[in-house]
Amino acid sequence: MKKIEAIIQPHKLEEVKEALKAIGIDGMTITEVRGHGRQKGHKEVYRGMEYQVDLLPKVKLELVVTDARFDEVIQTVVSSARSGKIGDGKIFVFDVAEAIRIRNDDRGEGAL
Amino acid sequence: MQPSLVQRTAQVDAIVTEAYARIQPAVSVVAVGGYGRRELFPYSDVDLLLLTPGPVQGVAEFLQRLWDSGLRIGHSVHTPAECCEIHEGNLELTISLLDQRYLCGDEAPYAALHQLFPKFVASQRDDIVSHLAAMTRGRHAKHGNTIYHLEPNVKEFPGGLRDIHVMHWLHELGCGNPVPYDDAQAFLFDLRIKLHHFFHRDNNFLTFEAQDQLSDDPAQFMRNYYRHARQIDRAVLRLLELSEPAARSLFGQFRDWRSRLSTPEFTLSRERVLLRHPAQLETDPSIVPRLMIFVARHQVALAPDTEMRLQNAPAMQWSWPALRGLLALPRCSNALHALADLNLLERIIPEWAHIDCLVVRDFYHRYTVDEHTLVTLDALENLAASKDPRRDRFARLFSETDHPEILRLALLLHDIGKGAGQGDHAIRSVEIARAALHRLQVPEQDQATVFFLIEHHLDLSSIMTSRDLSDSSTALRIAAASGTLEQLKLLTLLTYADISAVNPTAMTDWRLEQLWQTYLVGYQELTRELESERIDNLENTPTAAEFLEGFPTRYLKTHTPAQIASHLDLAQRLNAVELVRVKGAYQVTVVSPDRPFLLASISGALASFGMNILKAEAFANRRGQSLDTFVFDDPHRTLELNPGESERLHDVVLEAVLGKLDVEKLMQKRRRPPIHSRIAPHISFNNMLSESSTLVEIVAEDRPALLYDLTNAISSEGANIEVVLIDTEARRALDVFYVTANGGKLSSERMTELKARLFNVCRS
């Protein structure tokens, strides 16, 4: 099992969700986050007031998938979240040691 | 009384009496709390007080027997003297004893209590009442001080059964009338019985699941619940207010001091407004708007007596000027909450009934639609007072709006179409609002703004989460949706308030940033369009087309057909000046052939009269005719106090237009020693936004003749002013100029020189 953590542009969320749904992935956790990568922040001037915008709004998507589906899911996220511009985001992948369904104590891939 | 509760109480009485008869410990067995009141709910604890002068045999066995019979017993053992002590830990006992009922057993201890307790209560009454009040307020605060929870606890939450008990106890303590067994009480009793049967335990949460099970129409059912809860909530708060001993604190003295706010119509007692002549409600209904304006202006509440009289007063129609007077106040949401609580908002806007206590069941909404609507007004109000730097920029935006009352009116009606059928509620809200505004006789231009805001109230929040803000098509979309800068500002503020009022944590930093970015994208696009989007190919009469072609498209969006017609009239003359009064200020409109220094001459002429320019707009059409509009106020009331001055001002402006006036000489007479400005000026140049001109944006501390000096500096640099938009906010002037030199953008040398000149002007 792998955990996929994708930081994407907010406006790409619907597209990514739809694309995942189309390949049968429904379960995910979505968080509104702020941060910056290489895009860094920028200074913004509005009517004489300077605002340092150093944390840019992004959306974090977390999901855990079986090893068998891993490549397909990554491909789907990458292609649906990509606009080709700076700030498209990043994906991080972790190995998952165990998954447990709290309701009935199901373990392993069956608990996903 | 609720018959099944009385019946259950009698059954339990029989079980307790029988168990006592078998063991006979030397105690008085006293029913207390709900059991004492004969209100025993199916799964409630049976609260017993065992009174004894000292340690006795057989109590454990007696209780054991009761447990075995299946009752859930809550018991305490006390001496009569212990029952008459007052301290924090004892309050619960004291209060439960207010509902005591002798059941069986040794009569002597109970007789002692019966003798001591009333004296104790009489001597400690004020303390008990204060404790009870503090406990009740604490409980309300813990549950958000609102009855509007989607899954309420029908016992503990504001407006629940506990509040009925509080009223009952206060009555026992000598405050208020006996609590009648009314509809609201019957509804809650019945509901709690059903909940106990549904959960098979003492669970008083009206969960979604329970709502679905207990009724065929959960939305209507919850509406009923809120209406009853609201009645109870209001009654208990009112009674608490009347019962609490007068504050002896310093704050109390301050409150008394505030009573100097009293007017011939209203008087203040302990921060509560009373009518001096209550009969006036019958003869002069227009006192109601004045009363509510008083409430809002001084941030005070209505006295219980005033509330009662208002509710019983004959229905009155509010005119738009009356409602506008209230909505225009910087802090008016307390008055609107009060009107809603008293069901008076429905009399002003009958359409309010559509959303009264209306539940929208989803994961995000915390409040009913009516409460959400009122909370949007709170959000707007809190914005102005916010010290949070992240909200500062929105607060500034709010201070730039000329007509906060229009924004508030739109907020009051933005969700009014919810619960009225299927489909887009924004469109339905507009339809319903149309009837309301027509009846109130809101001026057409303001109506249009309100409809626009309601129709588009979801647009920005949808754009900010689903559109790529760096994409130019998003900018065009925001600009097209909002039409003008003014409308974009209003829409941004409306969206801010709307999101903030979904639930207390809905306006996250994330959303705050996204909304601001969305506003900025729209702002930049609309400013760019000022210069780049010109009126073209009008299918109009040839004269109209000739006059209009070349103006920014903004012109058509910000002017009514009547205003355009009057400009066309002016354009028939070669040089025309018109001076009119508009809503507490003056406006001068000039149509004339464009020439260098024209704008400077007019602003100088106005400044020489001591006029303070609030807004200005200037642009030229393709034929080289320029239309300049200035809105200004008259701080010295020159025009008002000297009838001839209006005409003289008109003539001086005309001379300035014709170039016959030595403005610099006139100005020298009025020059005052420079005051060092407190706001650091900001001047920026942008050559990218427009294809043919340079954008100059200036923010500086406003001062007399600032516009004259700025325009003079631009013209002296040999630059031509193509488009101008001037605004002021608090003490800041916000100026946007599009300038050209020799028919094109400014060179970098020229920009440097002009920037230096402009800085000098702003700093002097």
Side-chain angles (χ1 to χ4, degrees):
Chain A
M1 289 176 290
K2 295 266 196 293
K3 180 181 177 191
I4 300 171
E5 202 176 285
I7 315 284
I8 61 170
Q9 295 273 32
H11 67 272
K12 284 288 185 180
L13 176 63
E14 278 313 306
E15 221 172 309
V16 174
K17 265 187 356 193
E18 284 304 311
L20 286 171
K21 205 169 156 195
I23 61 163
I25 303 284
D26 293 314
M28 65 191 78
T29 307
I30 290 156
T31 326
E32 291 171 349
V33 295
R34 301 200 304 154
H36 66 75
R38 287 201 306 190
Q39 189 185 353
K40 291 276 170 43
H42 55 278
K43 218 173 245 176
E44 194 156 77
V45 179
Y46 167 72
R47 292 195 153 181
M49 309 292 289
E50 274 189 11
Y51 298 104
Q52 178 68 31
V53 185
D54 46 15
L55 295 174
L56 302 159
K58 300 280 173 194
V59 166
K60 181 165 82 174
L61 202 109
E62 291 164 284
L63 61 164
V64 178
V65 297
T66 61
D67 292 334
R69 302 212 63 182
F70 172 71
D71 286 332
E72 179 194 5
V73 172
I74 289 288
Q75 270 316 312
T76 308
V77 174
V78 169
S79 58
S80 56
R82 178 184 289 157
S83 72
K85 290 190 228 163
I86 293 174
D88 271 358
K90 281 205 171 62
I91 298 179
F92 304 103
V93 178
F94 308 82
D95 280 321
V96 174
E98 184 63 295
I100 302 145
R101 192 190 304 280
I102 293 174
R103 172 163 53 86
N104 55 14
D105 209 24
D106 273 354
R107 305 256 163 169
E109 292 190 349
L112 293 184
Chain B
M1 289 294 257
Q2 217 287 346
S4 75
L5 301 185
V6 176
Q7 199 183 343
R8 178 164 153 74
T9 307
Q11 285 165 356
V12 172
D13 282 357
I15 298 171
V16 175
T17 315
E18 202 207 307
Y20 181 84
R22 292 187 182 253
I23 318 284
Q24 299 205 349
V27 295
S28 309
V29 181
V30 183
V32 292
Y35 180 38
R37 284 194 304 276
R38 294 195 167 83
E39 290 171 2
L40 207 46
F41 284 85
Y43 289 87
S44 289
D45 284 1
V46 174
D47 288 330
L48 289 179
L49 167 69
L50 306 181
L51 273 177
T52 157
V56 282
Q57 298 285 311
V59 168
E61 215 183 332
F62 168 58
L63 291 171
Q64 182 73 48
R65 189 166 270 275
L66 287 176
W67 278 106
D68 290 348
S69 66
L71 293 181
R72 285 174 46 121
I73 300 291
H75 77 279
S76 61
V77 184
H78 289 287
T79 65
E82 279 168 358
C83 294
C84 302
E85 286 168 10
I86 187 151
H87 53 82
E88 203 78 16
N90 214 28
L91 189 69
E92 217 172 308
L93 177 66
T94 308
I95 287 170
S96 73
L97 279 169
L98 293 173
D99 292 316
Q100 50 168 292
R101 184 163 60 87
Y102 172 78
L103 281 176
C104 52
D106 197 352
E107 286 180 20
Y110 184 71
L113 178 72
H114 200 66
Q115 209 182 6
L116 289 173
F117 192 68
K119 285 184 200 155
F120 163 68
V121 167
S123 67
Q124 301 296 326
R125 183 187 165 278
D126 281 1
D127 260 359
I128 302 173
V129 170
S130 316
H131 271 102
L132 187 56
M135 233 165 69
T136 307
R137 292 191 200 282
R139 178 168 52 80
H140 278 219
K142 188 175 159 196
H143 303 298
N145 281 324
T146 176
I147 62 160
Y148 300 103
H149 293 269
L150 293 181
E151 295 186 297
N153 182 320
V154 303
K155 185 178 168 193
E156 295 293 335
F157 282 15
L161 285 164
R162 185 60 86 211
D163 284 343
I164 296 176
H165 303 155
V166 170
M167 288 190 277
H168 162 76
W169 294 325
L170 286 171
H171 167 65
E172 294 290 317
L173 291 165
C175 315
N177 301 318
V179 186
Y181 183 73
D182 58 6
D183 277 359
Q185 197 171 147
F187 180 87
L188 284 187
F189 273 39
D190 190 48
L191 184 55
R192 188 172 178 212
I193 294 171
K194 285 180 177 155
L195 283 176
H196 279 198
H197 287 307
F198 178 70
F199 289 111
H200 300 292
R201 60 193 167 90
D202 184 9
N203 183 350
N204 303 306
F205 276 98
L206 186 47
T207 59
F208 287 143
E209 198 191 359
Q211 293 169 26
D212 288 339
Q213 284 296 318
L214 298 181
S215 106
D216 297 332
D217 181 355
Q220 190 53 42
F221 174 71
M222 287 309 288
R223 240 177 168 172
N224 246 337
Y225 167 79
Y226 293 125
R227 281 177 181 156
H228 291 311
R230 184 163 63 189
Q231 196 178 323
I232 294 166
D233 183 56
R234 198 182 310 140
V236 76
L237 293 178
R238 196 179 293 180
L239 186 58
L240 279 180
E241 187 120 312
L242 290 173
S243 317
E244 262 180 302
R248 284 171 294 251
S249 63
L250 209 60
F251 181 60
Q253 288 172 16
F254 169 70
R255 294 200 297 197
D256 288 341
W257 171 79
R258 290 257 291 177
S259 65
R260 287 188 207 164
L261 288 176
S262 299
T263 71
E265 286 182 317
F266 315 121
T267 156
L268 264 189
S269 165
R270 298 177 64 198
E271 296 283 279
R272 299 292 180 267
V273 188
L274 288 159
L275 297 167
R276 280 192 195 268
H277 314 289
Q280 211 180 339
L281 276 175
E282 310 280 334
T283 54
D284 176 16
S286 70
I287 190 177
V288 180
R290 290 199 296 276
L291 171 64
M292 299 320 290
I293 286 174
F294 185 88
V295 161
R297 183 162 285 148
H298 302 297
Q299 291 294 299
V300 289
L302 297 168
D305 176 71
T306 315
E307 290 189 339
M308 214 173 57
R309 289 181 192 277
L310 275 176
Q311 278 180 307
N312 298 330
M316 71 300 171
Q317 283 270 331
W318 281 44
S319 64
W320 169 236
L323 182 58
R324 187 184 58 206
L326 180 60
L327 294 179
L329 292 174
R331 301 180 69 188
C332 60
S333 75
N334 71 326
L336 289 158
H337 276 281
L339 284 170
D341 282 348
L342 296 170
N343 288 330
L344 296 180
L345 205 48
E346 264 180 63
R347 293 195 199 162
I348 306 168
I349 305 172
E351 288 79 6
W352 186 259
H354 288 291
I355 56 168
D356 178 52
C357 292
L358 177 66
V359 178
V360 178
R361 214 197 256 189
D362 67 29
F363 185 69
Y364 298 106
H365 279 87
R366 157 97 172 255
Y367 307 111
T368 51
V369 179
D370 52 346
E371 182 71 2
H372 160 77
T373 301
L374 293 171
V375 176
T376 60
L377 296 169
D378 298 345
L380 205 58
E381 195 166 297
N382 294 337
L383 187 57
S386 168
K387 297 216 161 62
D388 180 354
R390 288 161 304 182
R391 284 173 165 71
D392 199 42
R393 20 190 195 175
F394 291 96
R396 280 180 182 281
L397 215 54
F398 187 39
S399 68
E400 286 169 30
T401 54
D402 292 329
H403 300 292
E405 72 275 13
I406 299 300
L407 179 58
R408 293 204 175 93
L409 183 61
L411 278 170
L412 269 180
L413 298 168
H414 78 285
D415 272 347
I416 203 94
K418 275 202 174 168
Q422 300 295 310
D424 186 348
H425 81 267
I427 301 292
R428 279 198 316 273
S429 295
V430 171
E431 288 314 312
I432 296 172
R434 207 179 288 282
L437 298 199
H438 181 73
R439 196 181 39 252
L440 280 166
Q441 297 183 328
V442 176
E444 252 172 59
Q445 211 176 336
D446 294 338
Q447 284 195 23
T449 309
V450 172
F451 299 149
F452 158 80
L453 288 170
I454 299 176
E455 185 178 340
H456 295 280
H457 81 263
L458 296 170
D459 287 11
L460 292 189
S461 56
S462 138
I463 288 172
M464 74 188 223
T465 51
S466 64
R467 296 280 161 163
D468 182 356
L469 295 179
S470 63
D471 190 334
S472 58
S473 71
T474 308
L476 290 172
R477 200 186 138 100
I478 301 169
S482 29
T484 62
L485 263 181
E486 289 80 357
Q487 299 207 120
L488 174 65
K489 285 183 197 171
L490 292 177
L491 201 55
T492 305
L493 290 163
L494 182 110
T495 309
Y496 170 87
D498 195 17
I499 297 177
S500 303
V502 168
N503 68 53
T505 55
M507 187 46 103
T508 56
D509 288 353
W510 192 92
R511 295 211 172 92
L512 211 53
E513 189 60 43
Q514 279 294 78
L515 179 58
W516 184 253
Q517 293 302 327
T518 307
Y519 167 72
L520 272 190
V521 167
Y523 169 80
Q524 274 155 5
E525 176 61 23
L526 285 165
T527 318
R528 190 187 67 77
E529 283 182 3
L530 205 58
E531 202 277 338
S532 61
E533 304 282 313
R534 302 298 186 125
I535 300 172
D536 226 342
N537 293 326
L538 272 186
E539 288 178 9
N540 230 320
T541 54
T543 22
E546 264 188 5
F547 176 63
L548 295 175
E549 280 175 7
F551 282 162
T553 46
R554 172 187 166 84
Y555 176 82
L556 290 180
K557 293 172 189 160
T558 50
H559 292 91
T560 61
Q563 288 167 329
I564 296 173
S566 111
H567 290 163
L568 267 172
D569 263 2
L570 291 176
Q572 300 315 305
R573 283 177 270 160
L574 185 57
N575 292 290
V577 174
E578 184 196 60
L579 174 66
V580 290
R581 220 181 157 148
V582 284
K583 293 181 189 167
Y586 294 87
Q587 178 176 314
V588 70
T589 309
V590 174
V591 182
S592 75
D594 201 7
R595 65 165 175 85
F597 289 95
L598 176 63
L599 203 63
S601 309
I602 305 171
S603 25
L606 291 173
S608 73
F609 273 77
M611 299 300 158
N612 177 24
I613 297 171
L614 302 171
K615 278 178 190 300
E617 241 181 26
F619 19 79
N621 65 15
R622 295 243 161 82
R623 294 193 309 168
Q625 235 177 344
S626 111
L627 170 71
D628 303 350
T629 320
F630 295 80
V631 176
F632 55 90
D633 72 5
D634 177 7
H636 311 297
R637 297 170 67 204
T638 313
L639 300 183
E640 194 185 329
L641 302 175
N642 308 287
E645 282 297 278
S646 293
E647 209 171 310
R648 203 169 73 83
L649 176 69
H650 176 277
D651 294 347
V652 170
V653 171
L654 187 58
E655 274 180 51
V657 169
L658 297 172
K660 291 182 183 164
L661 193 71
D662 188 345
V663 181
E664 190 49 40
K665 202 170 150 197
L666 257 184
M667 291 304 297
Q668 269 162 8
K669 285 193 220 155
R670 295 200 66 98
R671 288 266 183 229
R672 287 186 211 147
I675 308 162
H676 197 70
S677 63
R678 284 152 291 183
I679 299 172
H682 172 87
I683 297 168
S684 71
F685 285 74
N686 190 328
N687 257 345
M688 310 295 284
L689 274 176
S690 150
E691 276 174 23
S692 53
S693 7
T694 302
L695 167 75
V696 185
E697 233 185 326
I698 302 171
V699 181
E701 179 159 334
D702 203 12
R703 62 164 170 80
L706 176 67
L707 185 58
Y708 166 72
D709 289 340
L710 290 173
T711 46
N712 200 27
I714 295 174
S715 298
S716 305
E717 194 58 42
N720 189 39
I721 301 173
E722 303 283 336
V723 174
V724 180
L725 199 61
I726 306 294
D727 212 337
T728 47
E729 171 248 300
R731 294 184 352 256
R732 302 191 312 157
L734 314 162
D735 303 351
V736 171
F737 298 94
Y738 276 96
V739 299
T740 54
N742 310 324
K745 295 181 188 182
L746 267 54
S747 66
S748 55
E749 296 83 47
R750 241 207 180 108
M751 282 200 276
T752 316
E753 273 173 40
L754 181 55
K755 195 168 187 171
R757 267 179 193 252
L758 292 173
F759 259 116
N760 275 338
V761 166
C762 294
R763 285 203 182 111
S764 61

